[in-house]
Amino acid sequence: MATAPKAVRYRALRTFKRAHKSPLIFLERLPLEILLKILSYLDVSALYTLSHVNKVFYQLANDNVLWEKIHKAEHRRKRNLKCDCTYELLQRMSRMELEDPPENFWKHQHFNSLIKYDTKTLKSNLGILNRHTGLPSRTQQVLRNLRVTWELTVSDKSGHKSTFEPSWCRFCETSVSLSWSGGGQLSDYKKISSLHLHGVRRIALNLPGLKTPGRRFLMLKLDMQAVAERMQIIGRDKLVELKLLQPGIIIGVWREINSKDQSSVAFVMFTLHFHRLVERSTNENPLCPILKPICNDVDSEHGLYGYQLHVALNDTTCDIMSENFSQLFCRKADISDGLMRLSAISRSNPSQHTRLSGSVSLPWSCESLQGNVQNCCVLSLS
């Protein structure tokens, strides 16, 4: 087969590239008024996608005039947003007659209103309380419908920060386990200064190939220096050693058999209890109301009563055991520093003890490696 000379092929390739870029160049040369008029016919997904083309279209697609029209149209469609703070802010701005709002103001207001409206609507679907756990029965479903995810930000002692999305996420009866493995990007254990856990609330947009916009809410900040003294080693296998930083937070460190310097991080694992997890992950009224304990109505010195305890064991993949204990009480002498001691099982009564079926272990996975630490599991108390 005959082939074209190199000069001809190069000229054809250059012509193709010029033709490929010509639509964008043509659009950028249009007057601003015409461009904004064209963009006014696009929906939210198209505008957000267009903002990733280049700097020119980023500025055009974030124009306050465009997003103000979108936001007000959405507000008219959802009349029940009148009690929302976004509506109050809109009214306040109209009274102040602000002619030049900050950059991206109306875009942020629109996304905030969508998040608050969807959260308010879907939270009503949490359902009745589970009679065994005392927790909402549809926590997992609501979290998925709200498109809630979690991100971990790792800060090292030099001030560098890296943010990671979970490598895997597994729901159990009363908790969700999250694991982050950075593929060699996680700092050494001894160099980490703090861990920040954020709940991320994504907005539903038809954006194939692009990460949808969302809002990040700080759920937990852990100072590594403060927990270093309380850190415990809870298990190990041939590859990793598990360090418990505080209840619910484990760091897996690669084992170096011939060296005492074990500081290379394999993964970070968080276990989040379902108790008000939707609120904590979306920053919606995260504080719980303080309930006054019930005292004995015959003898107030007898203590507190009427408590229920649910214990669940899982290995991050399946439930090992769960048990419910009701009508627990605590004597006044067993209350110290705002904490009470509830005895669910008597050590001296073997009939209350139940053997676990199978072996207790904690499986883990990291990139292409995986392991199983014996005699470790997740204990969840409600």
Side-chain angles (χ1 to χ4, degrees):
M1 181 182 292
T3 58
K6 291 186 178 180
V8 177
R9 286 185 303 185
Y10 174 74
R11 188 162 54 248
L13 180 62
R14 185 173 55 186
T15 304
F16 170 77
K17 287 184 177 181
R18 190 164 55 241
H20 181 67
K21 291 183 178 179
S22 60
L24 288 179
I25 296 176
F26 171 74
L27 286 174
E28 292 176 4
R29 289 177 178 176
L30 290 176
L32 178 61
E33 294 78 8
I34 297 179
L35 280 173
L36 292 178
K37 182 64 177 179
I38 295 173
L39 298 187
S40 66
Y41 293 101
L42 301 180
D43 60 9
V44 173
S45 298
L47 277 178
Y48 188 80
T49 304
L50 190 64
S51 67
H52 289 75
V53 174
N54 56 32
K55 292 182 179 180
V56 174
F57 283 102
Y58 174 81
Q59 294 177 349
L60 291 172
N62 288 298
D63 184 78
N64 270 321
V65 175
L66 293 176
W67 285 98
E68 182 180 5
K69 292 180 180 178
I70 292 174
H71 180 67
K72 290 182 177 179
E74 182 72 13
H75 172 72
R76 287 191 295 270
R77 192 174 70 86
K78 298 176 179 177
R79 293 294 181 181
N80 56 346
L81 277 179
K82 288 186 177 181
C83 61
D84 189 74
C85 63
T86 303
Y87 176 79
E88 297 176 0
L89 182 58
L90 188 152
Q91 296 293 87
R92 195 184 314 124
M93 284 197 63
S94 62
R95 290 194 299 267
M96 296 173 61
E97 297 182 355
L98 292 178
E99 298 180 358
D100 189 20
E103 185 180 0
N104 297 336
F105 174 83
W106 285 109
K107 177 182 177 180
H108 291 159
Q109 294 306 315
H110 178 69
F111 285 153
N112 284 335
S113 67
L114 290 181
I115 287 177
K116 291 180 180 179
Y117 177 79
D118 290 345
T119 301
K120 179 181 178 181
T121 303
L122 290 173
K123 275 180 62 179
S124 62
N125 297 329
L126 278 174
I128 61 176
L129 299 181
N130 184 300
R131 65 187 184 93
H132 296 295
T133 66
L135 301 170
S137 57
R138 299 177 184 172
T139 298
Q140 177 181 350
Q141 178 183 346
V142 170
L143 286 169
R144 294 192 182 279
N145 291 341
L146 286 173
R147 293 165 295 279
V148 172
T149 59
W150 296 271
E151 290 181 351
L152 180 68
T153 300
V154 181
S155 302
D156 60 26
K157 295 180 180 179
S158 64
H160 179 263
K161 295 182 179 180
S162 301
T163 299
F164 303 90
E165 294 186 355
S167 303
W168 52 259
C169 170
R170 294 164 186 163
F171 286 87
C172 292
E173 184 182 18
T174 58
S175 63
V176 55
S177 295
L178 312 167
S179 180
W180 289 266
S181 54
Q185 300 178 12
L186 286 170
S187 302
D188 285 353
Y189 167 71
K190 295 180 180 179
K191 295 181 180 179
I192 297 177
S193 62
S194 64
L195 300 175
H196 292 73
L197 178 67
H198 289 87
V200 182
R201 171 75 167 80
R202 297 291 180 190
I203 300 173
L205 295 178
N206 184 21
L207 299 172
L210 280 180
K211 183 183 292 186
T212 56
R215 293 291 180 267
R216 301 171 77 237
F217 308 100
L218 180 63
M219 297 177 61
L220 182 144
K221 179 180 179 181
L222 185 66
D223 186 352
M224 294 294 289
Q225 185 176 1
V227 302
E229 297 180 357
R230 304 191 303 269
M231 183 272 297
Q232 298 178 353
I233 298 175
I234 60 174
R236 58 174 64 89
D237 61 11
K238 293 181 179 180
L239 296 176
V240 300
E241 185 175 72
L242 301 185
K243 298 178 183 290
L244 179 66
L245 303 183
Q246 70 177 39
I249 305 178
I250 295 174
I251 283 187
V253 179
W254 293 115
R255 293 187 65 186
E256 299 180 22
I257 306 301
N258 298 323
S259 175
K260 296 182 180 180
D261 183 19
Q262 301 177 13
S263 60
S264 182
V265 176
F267 59 86
V268 181
M269 186 183 299
F270 275 68
T271 299
L272 306 179
H273 196 275
F274 276 177
H275 177 61
R276 298 185 69 86
L277 183 56
V278 174
E279 292 83 354
R280 288 186 286 134
S281 300
T282 58
N283 201 29
E284 291 288 332
N285 300 321
L287 297 179
C288 307
I290 299 177
L291 302 178
K292 187 177 181 180
I294 302 175
C295 293
N296 190 283
D297 54 0
V298 177
D299 183 4
S300 61
E301 291 301 319
H302 182 70
L304 310 176
Y305 71 98
Y307 286 85
Q308 178 176 320
L309 173 66
H310 184 81
V311 180
L313 298 181
N314 69 78
D315 60 3
T316 72
T317 58
C318 63
D319 294 321
I320 300 175
M321 181 276 290
S322 63
E323 190 67 46
N324 191 66
F325 305 91
S326 60
Q327 300 302 319
L328 302 180
F329 71 95
C330 173
R331 293 182 174 85
K332 283 289 185 70
D334 294 333
I335 302 175
S336 176
D337 297 329
L339 301 176
M340 66 177 67
R341 185 175 67 192
L342 298 175
S343 299
I345 301 175
S346 173
R347 292 186 178 183
S348 59
N349 188 354
S351 63
Q352 294 183 346
H353 302 176
T354 303
R355 285 186 174 274
L356 298 178
S357 59
S359 62
V360 175
S361 62
L362 187 68
W364 60 269
S365 59
C366 176
E367 285 86 36
S368 58
L369 298 176
Q370 59 184 10
N372 205 12
V373 180
Q374 297 297 320
N375 301 321
C376 288
C377 68
V378 177
L379 172 63
S380 177
L381 300 179
S382 305

